[in-house]
Amino acid sequence: MQPYELTLTAAADAIRERQLSPVELADSVLQRITQVEPHLQAYVTVTAERTHRAAREAEHDIANDHYRGPLHGIPMGLKDLIDVAGTATSASSRSGPTTARRPIDQLQPSAHTSQRSRSR
């Protein structure tokens, strides 16, 4: 069985128990995406470099007894409707990806939103 074939629970357990490294899992997942993506066309953007960097950081943290929970070291995909800092997002637009919008972690609540929230 390849690491990409593990269930989320099995992968998380293996990482926590140090039987599988986050780097091995990320490499396996990215290799599988490379194999099947030309046929599936499921991804708008694959952030392999960001994935490798996060996996190396998680591996370092876990090796230094800084395990942060069951999703630590697990690669994930996000729907293209979610803005991610530094990554183009098309939000299913036919006009193509854009980085003009601000990612959700950079948004400030508007006065209208804040006022509406208080009135509820």
Side-chain angles (χ1 to χ4, degrees):
M1 176 177 274
Q2 297 298 313
Y4 74 84
E5 297 174 291
L6 294 170
T7 65
L8 177 59
T9 302
D13 289 347
I15 288 172
R16 185 188 72 244
E17 295 166 7
R18 298 181 187 181
Q19 296 171 350
L20 175 66
S21 90
V23 173
E24 290 173 315
L25 179 59
D27 286 344
S28 178
V29 168
L30 290 168
Q31 182 179 13
R32 181 64 175 166
I33 289 170
T34 300
Q35 291 171 349
V36 300
E37 179 57 16
H39 174 69
L40 294 179
Q41 297 181 1
Y43 293 91
V44 173
T45 305
V46 176
T47 57
E49 184 177 314
R50 182 179 279 185
T51 301
H52 280 122
R53 184 175 54 247
R56 286 189 305 271
E57 288 173 8
E59 187 169 70
H60 179 266
D61 289 348
I62 294 165
N64 289 295
D65 294 322
H66 292 105
Y67 178 71
R68 296 181 183 165
L71 294 180
H72 195 190
I74 302 291
M76 63 181 231
L78 290 175
K79 186 142 177 79
D80 188 47
L81 297 172
I82 307 296
D83 281 328
V84 176
T87 303
T89 302
S90 73
S92 300
S93 170
R94 292 180 187 196
S95 63
T98 180
T99 54
R101 295 186 333 223
R102 292 187 353 206
I104 198 162
D105 64 341
Q106 295 177 3
L107 294 178
Q108 297 293 324
S110 68
H112 176 71
T113 303
S114 298
Q115 190 173 25
R116 240 183 39 201
S117 297
R118 285 184 290 217
S119 65
R120 289 185 180 179

